[in-house]
Structure formats: structure tokens, C-alpha cells
Amino acid sequence: NAQWIWPAAGTVALCRFPISGIRVHTQVDNSFTAYANGKQVGQGANWVQTDSFTIPDNTPVLAIQAANAGGPAGIVLSTSNGVISDGDIRCVGVASAAEADAKYPGWKEADYDDKDWPKATEHAKIGSGVWGRRAGSEVINNNAQWIWPAAGTVALCRFPISAAKTTEAPTEAPTEAPTEAPTEAPTEAPTEAP
């Protein structure tokens, strides 16, 4: 639905585009598919790069299905509204994607009841452990942990989104002028004592 745009006159265009939504930044060892309100919103298959995507502001839960292709397994994630991957995230492990949907029908939907799912196991803070710090990972919150369920080559994890509080600093300076007038500087230079 994108359209080509240009101002009515001029050779240089200065445009501002309103962006809404919550930014998600993640690395997954090895691959993942992300769902918001049951719809696919992101995917990736290269654990050494950071994948970023936007989900709607009203997303109550971000569901991630991740697959490990051997060796260490993990998900590290943070969002622009303060969600991080840690031991409070609900995750279950299964042997395959087919088993995921058969055993947990509807798990990608916002209203799925995951209260009986176990919490994830924390393996290492971002930038440490077997994963180290990868290019592009600086956009992921430094408190995020690499997590995975206790067992399984496929992880199903549900991140509560809408209840999160913003913890990231704003990206733009405030545009409003200060409400208090600055105090005047002295008009005479101070004199030195003899």
C-alpha cells in the first residue's frame, strides 16, 4: 500500500512519518517465528544477527516459536515498552512445530491461558555466555537474558506486552519550552577581595 510522495514544490523533501507500535528486537539461536494476536509479525533464521519488527500498540501477548538446529538454544529479546526475556516468561518445549500446534492448540492467540506453563530457564545475560555480543545486539536491553524451556528442540514462549512499563529512554528531545524562566545572570563582574 505504499505510495510515492513528494512535496508540491522544491528539490529537497523534508518529511516526517508518524510511526506507531512497539518495536521488538531479538536474537534466536537458531530460528523463530513471532505472532501478535495470532498473526505472524516477524521471523528470522540467523542467530548471529538481531531481528527487529513492530507489533501493534494494543498487543497483549507476543508469542514466539523458536527452533534449535543443534548446540546451544536460546532466545534473547527486548521491546520498546520495557519487556525483556528473563525467567518470568512462560515457555514450554516440544519436539517439533507440528507437535506444538497439536499439543497446544491456539497458543499463538492473545487469549490463550498459559498460567500452567513453566517459566523459562535463564542461561546468560545478553553479551555473555556462549553467544557473546553480536553486531546489532546493542538495541537489545542489557538486562535481557538468553532463555529456553527446560527441554525441547522447539520452544513456545509467550511474552506479556500490554502490561509492560516503558523503561527505554525517549529517542527525541522534548519539544516544549521550559515552563520556568531562566534566572538572569549578574550584569557586573564580581570584584576580587584585596
Side-chain angles (χ1 to χ4, degrees):
N1 295 341
Q3 299 288 321
W4 286 97
I5 63 170
W6 196 260
T11 58
V12 175
L14 300 175
C15 302
R16 292 185 65 183
F17 297 94
I19 304 223
S20 64
I22 298 166
R23 291 294 290 161
V24 178
H25 308 289
T26 188
Q27 288 181 335
V28 178
D29 187 354
N30 288 96
S31 63
F32 78 97
T33 305
Y35 303 90
N37 303 319
K39 293 182 172 52
Q40 183 178 326
V41 292
Q43 66 181 23
N46 184 353
W47 74 271
V48 297
Q49 77 180 31
T50 299
D51 292 292
S52 298
F53 51 93
T54 303
I55 59 177
D57 288 320
N58 64 348
T59 301
V61 173
L62 176 67
I64 298 227
Q65 178 175 307
N68 182 29
I75 300 166
V76 65
L77 175 146
S78 69
T79 68
S80 60
N81 73 329
V83 173
I84 61 170
S85 51
D86 63 16
D88 288 331
I89 302 302
R90 301 279 181 183
C91 292
V92 294
V94 294
S96 68
E99 181 185 344
D101 291 332
K103 192 170 182 179
Y104 302 102
W107 76 272
K108 301 168 192 168
E109 300 297 330
D111 60 355
Y112 182 84
D113 184 2
D114 61 15
K115 74 176 183 294
D116 293 331
W117 283 22
K119 292 186 176 181
T121 301
E122 292 182 358
H123 293 284
K125 200 174 206 179
I126 186 158
S128 63
V130 297
W131 298 279
R133 179 66 77 173
R134 300 292 174 187
S137 64
E138 63 277 354
V139 297
I140 299 174
N141 185 302
N142 286 328
N143 293 316
Q145 298 280 334
W146 283 92
I147 62 170
W148 200 259
T153 56
V154 174
L156 311 179
C157 298
R158 292 175 49 85
F159 295 80
I161 301 294
S162 60
K165 295 182 176 141
T166 302
T167 58
E168 293 186 359
T171 56
E172 293 183 22
T175 56
E176 294 180 21
T179 55
E180 293 181 24
T183 58
E184 283 189 31
T187 55
E188 296 179 22
T191 57
E192 293 183 16

